[in-house]
Amino acid sequence: MGQDPRTLPPSPNWYCARCSDAVPGGLFGFAARTSVFLVRVGPSAGVSSGAPPFRVIGELVGHTERVSGFTFSHHLGQYNLCASSSDDGTVKIWDVETRTVLTEHALHQHTISALHWSPLVKDLIVSGDEKGVIFCYWLNRNDNQYLFVEPRTIFCLTCSPHHEDLVAVGYKDGLVVIIDISKKGDVIHRLRGHEDEIHSIAWCPLPGEDCLSISQEEHSEDADVPNRKVIPQTPVTKGCYLATGSKDQTIRIWSCSRGRGVMILKLPFLKRRGGGIDPTIKERLWLTLHWPSDQPTQLVSSCLGGELLLWDLNQSWRRNYTLFSASSEGNTHSRIVFNLCPLQTEDNKNLLLSTSMDRDVKCWDMSTLECCWTLPSLGGFAYSLAFSPVDIGCLAIGVGDGMIRVWNTLSLKNNYDVKKFWQGVKAKVTALCWHPTKEGCLAFGTDDGKVGLYDTYSNKPPQISSTYHKKTVYTLAWGPPVPTVSLGEGDRPPLTLFSCGGEGIVLQHNPWKLSGEAFDINKLIRDTNSIKYKLPVHTEISWKADGKIMALGNEDGSIEIFQVPNLKLICTIQQHHKLVNTISWHHEHGSQPELSYLMASGSNNAVIYVHSLKTVIESNSESPVTITEPYRTLSGHTAKITSLAWSPHHDGRLVSASYDGTAQVWDALREEPLCNFRGHQGRLLCVEWSPVDPDCIYSGADDFCVYKWLTSMQDHSRPPQGKKSIELEKKRLSQPKAKLKKKKKPVSRVPVKQESCEGNEDENLKESSGPVENGVSDQEGEEEAQQPEEPCSLASAISREPVISASASLGFDKSKTIIHNKVTLPKKEAPKEKPEALIKKRKARSMLPLSTSLDHRSKEELHQDCLVLATAKHSKELNEDMFADFEERFHLGLFTDRTTLYKMMEVEGKGHLENGHPELFHQLMLWKGDLKGILQTAAERGELTDNLVAMAPVAGYHVWLWAVEAFAKQLCFQDQYVKAASHLLSIHKVYEAVELLKSNHFYREAIAIAKARLRPEDPVLKDLYLSWGAILERDGHYAMAAKCYLGATATYDAAKVLAKKGDAASLRTAAELAVIVGEEELSASLALRCAQELLLARNWIGAQEALQLHESLKGQRLVFCLLELLYKHLEERQVSECKITSSYNVWTTTTEGPFEKRVTAVWKSIFGIDAPEQYQEAFQKLQSIKYPSATNNTPSKQLLLHICHDLTLAVLSQQVSSWDEAVSSLLQAVVRSYDSGNFTLMQEVYSAFLPDGCEYLRERLGDHHSSITPAFKSLEAFFIYGHLYELWWSLSGSYPKSGIWVSFGHRRKAVEHSQQLDDASPEEADTVASCQSELSRPPEVDVSLTGEGERVLHACVQLLSESHAGLQDSQRTIAEVQETLAEMIRQHQRNQICQSTENGSEKSDCEQETERPLSSPHSQCSKEENEPVSLPELTRRLTEANERMAKFPESIKTWPFPDVLECCLVLLHIGSQCPGCVTLEMQQQARELLQKFGNSKVYKRHHQACM
């Protein structure tokens, strides 16, 4: 097992020519992200016997961006020195023993791409950048040399091991140059031959050109000789070989004596071995080289797919190479190799270390070419850790590089026995959970919402659930299936997988059928607990070990406890106030049973709560219990809690991971912190306790590391606190309350610094915009960035814990900490007058504190100052000792010349900057007169202030302009956009200020500036209005959006957006606005819509007022007036079903006289319409409006409006004696009520407008109106049709007006059937069913018809129209054929689906279903109708029906007519109830019509019954 810490480091950076190196003795270093990791190799690594001899021993932390180069000093006695370059522009020199920076330089202005420590000059470090600039830096003398050889991008450089002044440089375009740095970078050779990037340069380890048996005449290339000149044999160029590797897949050996290539090695295309890569990822070729020092005739190179080749340079014509690890395929790299570096261990083994894109560091034995060991690494955040409960010691790691690692932590042969799983993942792995009982079954969740299952014992791709979360999967948990019926009986696994996603949903997945749809447990929770309100957003799920209790953490900080099987809510914990990140139940095997009821939880605030739920779970309360007090409180972290884990070896021992960069072990029962781990350089994301070692814990963080650490080896017992928090704690514990303010004064004294040094390594966690992953910007950092937490409450400041929580943001920002302490101080502050007095007495901070302190030293030192000063003032030349003494006493510059004064100011200024007082530094520079320098420095550091910018004009107009622009940019970074815009206005950059405000959604301010400073017709102003209006409209602020559109003179849009809400008030305002701006058509439509909305509320007065807004709506006012009168009329007759209280106009109070006369009277008195031309004008306006025909589903209010529109046209036509239009309009109104099935309304229309029947219209029409005669006949037919039904219903005696039609000799038993038909529409009444029952039932009373009844029956002859019966029969035939065809199409589609999805017996069942007869269920009269109908037969029927339709005259087809066969059935029924009432001739005619046209499915059965 090994009682030793381990580190799983980040992956070495990609695409760097030299980012790893090693020195004799067994020390290896590689660059990973922004750090350099150190690995001890060999016997001194101190690993257990049998394990590979290497150990990650430390990390060099200091760079702020990706490390692009790393090199050791290979000089005896200084193997502890190394250098690193970074994208932050610096080159740092390190001491690996102390892991500190000795010195650094930032000479490069562009990205550094190459770095090498000279193997001959002990203190020379050479670096190159992307622009072709080379710097030589001499460490000991702190000197440097600038070289600019070629204006090309440098890819790599290597110093010669044979001559201290030679450096070979490789460029991106394939050029290689050898320069002499002693001659200001003179080019010794330009080596041309490669066609692409130079990735690696290796010098031959032996000088001279005798080590290789190469015939230079035979293998040389003339093209490589520059300018066809013979190069003289100088000592510099004599005898050395150079090897270069390029992206063009070739290796070239160059002769430095001749300046030309002597050998070309082309990479072979090998079959990729090792597998284990994602084929969808495209990778660049990288060709790196190593020339072994003890084997000058051999060269090691990488190959196309990660292989390593050992070339024999003496047999180059045979392409003689040996493949590394040829016997074992699984030990090679699976992706391209970036770096090769040799290492000689203490036991004199020659090893080769390689870094690759496959994220492995491999060590090779050069004597056998076999892989000795592999160090795996991580390419992303370590999001999740999970130990297998079955395979003890197997640790699964979810990583942000799209791979899962399974680490066998108990392996004795390999401390880093790690398997990688990448297939099917393709996203950041954010959650892991092992199956509790099944070996190798690992569930994973990703940031794109994917949930899957991996079998870690096989190479099969994972099973992926068909149901994805919409956002990141937070947590996975195995639990019992709930509800049991949801997964189907007989197909129910013992455990199902629960996943909680970022959208707040918890899904249950069936592991036996992941292709099925997952179950949202919110549905079950809502149904079981009868919850009607919105459920909280879930962020965490955790099952108690016995599988009977489930805990859900929510975004609002609450935790809900549910009981299986139906997830009954038994408890709600209202303790946290922020999003719950983690919940953990205590294990079941504690010494006390009640410990298993402990539940720990952590949230976005820094406090951990432990609750005991024993009482709640065992009480079985009917209603949910609410808990507001914790069982234990664990305070100490200063940032959000991300993970919790109970120790399986102890009772009540808990480890927590936090964003403060530490992991803390607690004794939860005693609320005592035990130890604190501070090894990570980032925010911790996960933590797990070892299942076998009570002292061992594993943790992962966003620094791409997983650490195994021991609790017994930690130096700290609690998390580090911010400076201010520690100071306040000391004051609170040691000082009286009355003296608190006095003790606040020395905030930056030495004791505070000493406290900060203790946790310096941990408190320097940087807050970057995004970490760098293997040289490529990684967005994970941005995704993990958190909003700053609010300061802890005042209550937490006086809790039992003496620690005050700091802000929960990453890093300990000074300003945030100060604000926090201001919040906690008011509990102890004195009256307000006292602090003000203290402030007035406070002494101003010294501008020259260092000089002042030096002038307060001992008397001897002051006397020595005088002597040194006198010597400096009166000596012509200072010797070296005196000069050094004078330099040390910089404060004497105040008494000497200006140059020394400037030096003193420089020292004082640096001191102010280091102490965080840039304003004092600026004042010093202002004294010095360097205002421009002040501004530039402040701009670079983001420390410009209003005062500095105000002083900028002193340095000149252009400096002032530059300073204002720089200050505006700084303010933008600080989110002070309005202030930034104001400063831009001060330099007359109006458009830039407006655009700045607009882009950051400060539209109101941008418009104010644009209106004040720009021309009114400037298009920018209109664009502002329109942009803001569009955003306001999208957000539902329609009134403000309308203002914007009006400002942009988009009046139409203003009216439209006002009307978007659709309520009456908005529509009316929009209509009025449209009138004002001249949008007449829009105004009319909006006013009409407003009136219709008011009509729904029966606000007749408001509707008329809305219609008054536009003159063109006068015709609609007439319609609404008639509608109001008709509605009042129906209400009085108790026909209206509306229960809404109506707001009537005064004109509805008059109820005397015929309805039509009342209408025209109101029109005349209220609307002033009396003349024929006025009626004609109104008629023409209304006639242009067409409404769709009515159906059974037409709303009653809409139906009334459409009917009144037709009735208004009828009344207007009558007033101008246009009787044909009157008839057609009246018929249209009747037909609407008939089509909608509203028989009562149809009769009321006749009662109101034709109280005496159709004779009045017949007289007005006369005989000459032949064209309108069919319309009049239809109108009269509907009139008779209505009276026919009234007569039929009167036979039962239950109809209110039965006395008009029927007289009874004595009371008869009411026909039960007929009672049901009272007030029903003819279509809804099953007329023919009653025909069957009544034909055989003799009358029980003496029934006779009145004269009115006889007249109606006599008039019914008009309803028995054979032509109309034939037309209706053809129409029914066409409709039935079309319905049958539609059914055939649907069955054909179902048949196609069955054929494509079903097999075997299921297919035959499906075919039987699709081959059922295409007959209606109503057609059961004959066997023929049960047989399938062929398509040709249907086509024939349709053709015949269309031909019959074509033969009917247009006059018959134009105007609707009552159903003739229906009338026949009613007449036969009346004849059966009242013998002698219907003449035999009429009954015979009815039977003949039924016989002839009653073949349709609707009438055939009833026709046969009546025969």
Side-chain angles (χ1 to χ4, degrees), residues 846-853 894 904-905 908 912 924 927:
S846 172
M847 288 292 296
L848 303 171
L850 299 180
S851 302
T852 304
S853 63
L894 194 64
M904 183 192 78
M905 287 185 170
E908 294 281 4
H912 287 314
L924 274 180
W927 292 1

Side-chain angles (χ1 to χ4, degrees), residues 79 119 237 375 529 543 552 746 809 814 837 854 887 977 1270 1324 1446:
Y79 291 156
T237 62
L375 172 62
N529 301 284
W543 281 92
L552 287 183
S809 60
K814 293 181 180 180
L854 290 176
E887 285 288 322
Y977 303 107
E1324 295 171 350

Side-chain angles (χ1 to χ4, degrees), residues 493-528:
L495 291 173
T496 55
L497 180 62
F498 294 82
S499 60
C500 179
E503 74 276 21
I505 301 298
V506 175
L507 298 177
Q508 177 185 231
H509 308 263
N510 183 352
W512 290 357
K513 194 176 181 181
L514 284 177
S515 59
E517 184 176 357
F519 174 70
D520 183 355
I521 68 170
N522 274 353
K523 300 175 183 177
L524 180 62
I525 292 174
R526 192 182 295 278
D527 295 341
T528 301

Side-chain angles (χ1 to χ4, degrees), residues 678-744:
R678 305 183 180 185
H680 285 282
Q681 298 298 324
R683 305 169 294 186
L684 269 72
L685 303 175
C686 50
V687 66
E688 276 289 319
W689 212 297
S690 170
V692 295
D693 186 355
D695 194 36
C696 178
I697 295 175
Y698 292 80
S699 58
D702 66 1
D703 59 2
F704 293 38
C705 289
V706 170
Y707 282 98
K708 171 191 173 184
W709 49 278
L710 306 179
T711 59
S712 58
M713 296 178 62
Q714 305 311 310
D715 299 328
H716 306 280
S717 62
R718 63 173 63 246
Q721 306 299 306
K723 298 178 183 179
K724 297 295 181 182
S725 299
I726 294 176
E727 183 183 4
L728 284 177
E729 178 190 351
K730 287 185 176 182
K731 289 179 179 179
R732 184 172 64 86
L733 295 176
S734 61
Q735 299 297 335
K737 292 184 179 180
K739 298 181 180 180
L740 174 66
K741 287 295 178 179
K742 295 182 179 180
K743 292 294 180 180
K744 184 182 176 183

Side-chain angles (χ1 to χ4, degrees), residues 890-903:
F890 62 88
H891 64 292
L892 298 180
L894 194 64
F895 309 99
T896 55
D897 56 4
R898 181 176 295 177
T899 304
T900 53
L901 176 67
Y902 281 174
K903 290 182 180 180

